[in-house]
Amino acid sequence: MSTLIYWFKNDLRLIDNPALLEACNRADRLLPIYIHLPQAAHVFGFPREGFHRKAFLRESLKDLRVQLRALGSDLLEYAGEPADILAQLAQDTHANAVYCERIEAPEEIRRSQEILGRGITLQEFWQSSMLSPDSLPFTAQDMPDMFTQFRKKVEYAGLKFSPPVIAPSKIPALPELAQIPLMQSSQELDNSMHQFLGGERNALEHLKQYLARRLPDTYKETRNQLIGQDYSSKFSPYLALGCVSARTIVAKLDVYEQTHGANDGIYWLWFELLWRDYFRFLHFKYGIQLYREAGLSGTPISKGGYQHFESWRTGSTGKSLIDAGMRELLKTGYLSNRMRQIVASYWIYDLQGDWRLGAAWFESQLIDYDVYSNQGNWLYLAGLGTDPRGGRRFNIAKQEQDHDPRGEYQRLWL
Ligand code: FAD
């Protein structure tokens, strides 16, 4: 008799979750769990997981629980160090192994090592990218450093996505309930007001309406706008928690293209999702080097800018475009790609701030916080990543002229 634990991480879904499918196929009894990590406050005092992120996570967990219960199972939530919790649960349930997705970032790798160090069998599956790493026409170590080279090789090889897998049709029964005290489950906590509703079913609904309204057709023209729901896809919060997989999105886009014909907007969405994969695969190649102050450059740059952090963070620098952006982030947990670039550039180049502190603030606030994309984009803007052209300094006056000439965005958030 095989008892397995399924540890949900940033894959809060049933559809296209190969790790979960495999666990369901192998187990006689399965314990689905989620672990809230101990999040020490950042050294500057703000929580690593801010209000909006927490709310979006709560909804996503709640939706997952409802779906698991409909299949005769459940989702149990714990809080603490995964190695401690898993060791205790494995002992209580006599589980043979823990199945979960693999996250290729330093903290997550360290945690996996701790779990293995406790003698627990850990089966990790890579499943958060659109392209399968095995299908790439190069090994991780030979991956082209520059995005354009990477994209060209992918396009030349004709790679678009790996087909998604189906949801498990049934979930094995729960083992005898664990003795470790459960955390109060997400469904019992208050809901908060914010513009995105978390969870797999909301993600699929969002994708459906986005396609039904033919928004991919205009994506290329609208994607740099700043105001509203429709100028960009808003897939990112769902992708970040894995409420929907990138492969499911591109598989639906493929059907859309077959139905309505190819266009630049569809290509451009795929192109942006390829950036997401690129930052993931860079982690296979460079790992912890992407987290150093000097990034991939040999030279540590000694920046501080800490005295300006409070005014940047709260949107009170006196520079109205920047303040509008930082207030949008603070109030909603979301910011357009264009505004992310502008406020990050302002932090790094105008305020001479430490890029890692800027990245930490984004981590705390963004409901679509994704370790690979956040780290990758910040490093790229700071000119410490793989881009040979150096940093990306944005001319704020020009950005204002190009993207908010009538000041509507600034009026909205100030
Ligand atoms: P769309 O424009 O509709 O793009 C479709 C999808 O493509 C996105 O959902 C996303 O998955 C992917 N994508 C688009 N642009 C990028 C990009 N530059 N890098 C990686 N993937 C991309 N994105 C995150 O998901 N999480 C982060 O933590 C994050 N941090 C960022 C930090 C900085 C400083 C910058 C400049 C960008 C960051 N991004 C991050 C990338 C990008 O801003 C968001 O993915 C995008 O704005 C999300 O909105 P959307 O889903 O409507 O995007």
Side-chain angles (χ1 to χ4, degrees):
M1 172 115 154
S2 161
T3 298
L4 299 178
I5 295 172
Y6 190 78
W7 176 19
F8 282 98
K9 295 179 177 174
N10 292 332
D11 58 338
L12 304 182
R13 63 178 181 273
L14 302 185
I15 299 170
D16 196 28
N17 190 331
L20 176 65
L21 192 63
E22 183 72 10
C24 289
N25 288 339
R26 287 189 179 267
D28 299 303
R29 291 191 177 268
L30 185 77
L31 182 67
I33 63 162
Y34 183 85
I35 303 176
H36 296 266
L37 302 174
Q39 300 274 6
H42 190 272
V43 61
F44 282 86
F46 54 84
R48 289 190 61 184
E49 194 177 53
F51 172 82
H52 296 292
R53 275 186 68 192
K54 278 200 181 117
F56 193 74
L57 172 65
R58 277 205 298 272
E59 284 164 9
S60 302
L61 290 173
K62 184 174 166 186
D63 179 75
L64 184 62
R65 175 176 302 101
V66 170
Q67 294 206 73
L68 287 167
R69 283 188 178 166
L71 290 168
S73 183
D74 207 340
L75 179 70
L76 297 145
E77 286 175 53
Y78 299 92
E81 266 308 328
D84 297 338
I85 299 209
L86 291 171
Q88 183 72 54
L89 282 176
Q91 191 184 331
D92 288 353
T93 60
H94 306 290
N96 311 81
V98 176
Y99 277 50
C100 62
E101 76 160 329
R102 175 167 157 213
I103 301 181
E104 192 67 23
E107 276 186 36
E108 285 75 6
I109 293 173
R110 178 183 55 75
R111 288 207 156 97
S112 296
Q113 284 162 354
E114 276 168 23
I115 293 163
L116 289 168
R118 298 288 191 95
I120 297 167
T121 307
L122 189 63
Q123 297 282 355
E124 295 186 302
F125 293 65
W126 177 262
Q127 54 181 18
S128 71
S129 52
M130 169 175 75
L131 302 172
S132 156
D134 306 334
S135 70
L136 295 172
F138 37 76
T139 63
Q141 287 318 309
D142 297 328
M143 171 178 166
D145 276 351
M146 281 173 64
F147 174 75
T148 307
Q149 304 304 328
F150 166 79
R151 175 182 59 78
K152 283 186 178 159
K153 288 205 170 184
V154 165
E155 286 183 333
Y156 188 73
L159 301 178
K160 280 180 86 179
F161 60 95
S162 316
V165 303
I166 53 164
S169 53
K170 67 188 202 25
I171 311 276
L174 292 167
E176 289 297 305
L177 270 186
Q179 297 305 307
I180 307 184
L182 282 170
M183 208 192 142
Q184 189 184 23
S185 72
S186 295
Q187 61 183 356
E188 289 152 24
L189 294 163
D190 284 346
N191 259 338
S192 62
M193 295 288 293
H194 61 99
Q195 62 187 130
F196 297 95
L197 289 172
E200 181 173 29
R201 289 175 302 171
N202 283 320
L204 296 174
E205 204 45 54
H206 175 69
L207 177 58
K208 195 167 146 197
Q209 65 81 30
Y210 185 77
L211 299 178
R213 292 165 62 220
R214 304 283 305 265
L215 290 172
D217 301 358
T218 48
Y219 172 75
K220 185 165 182 247
E221 288 75 47
T222 59
R223 71 200 170 91
N224 274 322
Q225 292 175 9
L226 310 184
I227 301 177
Q229 278 294 311
D230 295 339
Y231 62 83
S232 66
S233 73
K234 310 296 190 298
F235 294 154
S236 59
Y238 300 108
L239 282 167
L241 287 187
C243 302
V244 67
S245 74
R247 306 194 299 191
T248 297
I249 292 178
V250 274
K252 298 266 187 214
L253 272 176
D254 213 43
V255 174
Y256 181 90
E257 185 171 283
Q258 284 162 28
T259 313
H260 301 293
N263 63 49
D264 284 354
I266 301 171
Y267 173 77
W268 222 255
L269 276 165
W270 176 84
F271 180 99
E272 296 297 356
L273 287 164
L274 195 62
W275 267 106
R276 180 176 176 274
D277 272 11
Y278 167 75
F279 287 131
R280 283 173 152 62
F281 299 146
L282 271 187
H283 277 69
F284 284 106
K285 183 167 179 178
Y286 290 112
I288 201 154
Q289 291 181 67
L290 300 169
Y291 292 74
R292 296 185 317 199
E293 185 185 2
L296 301 181
S297 80
T299 16
I301 37 146
S302 201
K303 285 201 173 184
Y306 305 120
Q307 71 275 23
H308 301 303
F309 179 65
E310 201 52 22
S311 60
W312 180 74
R313 180 187 81 80
T314 54
S316 42
T317 63
K319 195 87 181 162
S320 57
L321 185 63
I322 304 303
D323 292 348
M326 296 310 287
R327 288 186 198 185
E328 180 184 5
L329 178 62
L330 200 59
K331 284 193 175 150
T332 67
Y334 180 83
L335 202 55
S336 64
N337 185 55
R338 175 59 48 176
M339 280 310 301
R340 289 181 204 204
Q341 292 173 324
I342 293 171
V343 298
S345 163
Y346 191 76
W347 171 247
I348 297 169
Y349 298 105
D350 296 73
L351 298 179
Q352 292 288 306
D354 185 329
W355 69 274
R356 295 167 306 166
L357 180 54
W361 179 244
F362 271 33
E363 171 183 353
S364 164
Q365 297 302 301
L366 284 174
I367 56 169
D368 66 15
Y369 168 67
D370 171 78
V371 63
Y372 312 102
S373 297
N374 196 48
Q375 201 71 17
N377 276 288
W378 273 95
L379 204 61
Y380 182 80
L381 286 166
L384 302 169
T386 49
D387 188 3
R389 283 176 295 179
R392 285 278 188 280
R393 182 172 191 164
F394 284 66
N395 177 331
I396 308 301
K398 181 170 185 317
Q399 292 298 317
E400 198 170 324
Q401 191 54 43
D402 290 350
H403 301 290
D404 193 30
R406 288 188 292 278
E408 287 158 348
Y409 176 76
Q410 292 163 64
R411 274 197 299 283
L412 180 65
W413 294 107
L414 298 178

